Amino acid sequence: MIQMPYLLFLGDAADPLAAKVAQGIRDWRPDASVGQFRMVGCNADMKLPDMTIEEAVAAGAKTLVVGVANRGGKISAAWIAVLKEALENGLDLASGLHNLLRDEPELVAAAEKHGRTLHDVRIPSVEYPIANGRTRTGKRCLAIGTDCSVGKMYTGIAMEREMHTRGMKATFRATGQTGILITGDGVPLDAVVADFMAGAVEHITPDNDSDHWDLIEGQGSLFHASYSGVTMALIHGGQPDALILSHEPTRQHMRGLPEYKLPSLEDLRDVGLRMAQIVNPDCKVIGISVNTAAMTEAEALDYLAGVEARMQLPTVDPFRQGAARLVEALA
């Protein structure tokens, strides 16, 4: 188990979105976040106390979590000195990057010397089967996005909380590093060998009660040239009964691909539904989740109303306004 509370390491994040792991933990597990560590040039801020390693240890931190998710998931050489310092001062390390902590000789040596643990969240712990496509009992909901990092995870967690307040049976199924660090369980889907990705999704969404909903954390985008494969695995392995369209309206181009524009919500609806109905002919698009963090309240409300009128689907920012209308649309 990864020990809490955390010191969130923001490193030299180029922008706030690059620190989305830290942001997710800060938003959904504020009780587990004692502070943040930022290096020179960091352009992200979780609005937590800036701490040195020593100050974080004194405040009770047990684990330094690498809260940066840069393109390619690499541990920067510039970070090594800070990560070693954390180990030397009694902190464990946790990371969900593709570049593993256990593959960094200096960190391995420091962990062994000081009796600390290196947690690589993106290492699959189960031998997943190849998907069989069989229909399972229970119900499943999946958020799919016009791009990466548009709020798919936030949508699932917000819906789970709302459903629990209503006494409904629901489980958020984490499929990425941030979701796993928030919930403590899940599958690091983009680290699973391609042939087994859909099977991994079947594995974490097994047969369940007829009135139980699995809220599957979305990843990537069907329209993203780099990350469409993981989305397809979620759709076909998840066999969703309900799809939610996720969008960030101020995005100028696909994340990391400046030559690609975002698809329209209509395109996402049509392509996503066609793919989902291959494995579940009864799947429906039931709502739209919009990340309005970059908008004023007035701008957000105006935009949401316009999309709802155009798409004829309940349209909300579930983090800003709550997920009640999305939950009600599941019925």
Side-chain angles (χ1 to χ4, degrees), residues 97-328:
L97 297 176
H98 289 292
N99 182 196
L100 304 179
L101 296 168
R102 67 185 69 178
D103 290 338
E104 296 293 330
E106 291 185 65
L107 300 181
V108 171
E112 291 178 351
K113 180 179 179 180
H114 298 284
R116 308 319 308 165
T117 303
L118 304 178
H119 298 279
D120 284 305
V121 177
R122 241 190 188 113
I123 295 292
S125 58
V126 175
E127 289 190 13
Y128 297 110
I130 293 175
N132 57 43
R134 298 192 188 105
T135 300
R136 306 186 294 286
T137 56
K139 296 180 181 296
R140 290 156 192 88
C141 176
L142 172 68
I144 58 174
T146 54
D147 194 9
C148 306
S149 305
V150 293
K152 299 181 289 290
M153 181 191 75
Y154 278 52
T155 301
I157 296 177
M159 290 180 70
E160 181 195 45
R161 289 195 173 183
E162 176 65 25
M163 294 169 84
H164 286 174
T165 65
R166 295 170 180 240
M168 299 173 68
K169 299 175 184 176
T171 306
F172 173 73
R173 303 295 188 183
T175 62
Q177 56 173 321
T178 309
I180 293 170
L181 285 165
I182 292 169
T183 65
D185 193 20
V187 54
L189 193 60
D190 59 4
V192 175
V193 174
D195 278 358
F196 302 95
M197 286 197 298
V201 181
E202 288 186 351
H203 177 82
I204 64 167
T205 58
D207 286 312
N208 217 314
D209 295 341
S210 60
D211 58 347
H212 178 278
W213 280 92
D214 276 331
L215 302 162
I216 307 169
E217 180 185 2
Q219 301 288 341
S221 171
L222 288 170
F223 293 84
H224 199 290
S226 305
Y227 306 122
S228 56
V230 69
T231 313
M232 280 298 300
L234 284 160
I235 291 173
H236 286 169
Q239 295 184 333
D241 299 278
L243 290 176
I244 293 174
L245 311 182
S246 296
H247 182 54
E248 204 282 74
T250 68
R251 196 75 59 86
Q252 298 301 307
H253 56 75
M254 300 293 273
R255 178 73 171 163
L257 300 177
E259 65 273 29
Y260 285 86
K261 294 185 180 299
L262 272 66
S264 67
L265 285 165
E266 287 85 352
D267 282 342
L268 178 63
R269 175 197 63 200
D270 295 344
V271 173
L273 191 58
R274 177 70 188 95
M275 293 299 100
Q277 288 180 340
I278 291 172
V279 291
N280 184 350
D282 295 326
C283 182
K284 296 179 175 60
V285 176
I286 61 95
I288 300 173
S289 167
V290 182
N291 177 355
T292 64
M295 295 176 155
T296 66
E297 184 74 12
E299 290 171 340
L301 292 174
D302 184 63
Y303 182 83
L304 294 169
V307 170
E308 182 158 336
R310 187 179 96 228
M311 300 291 293
Q312 293 297 293
L313 288 167
T315 303
V316 301
D317 181 331
F319 187 69
R320 199 169 190 169
Q321 300 172 310
R325 296 185 65 216
L326 297 177
V327 170
E328 290 161 3

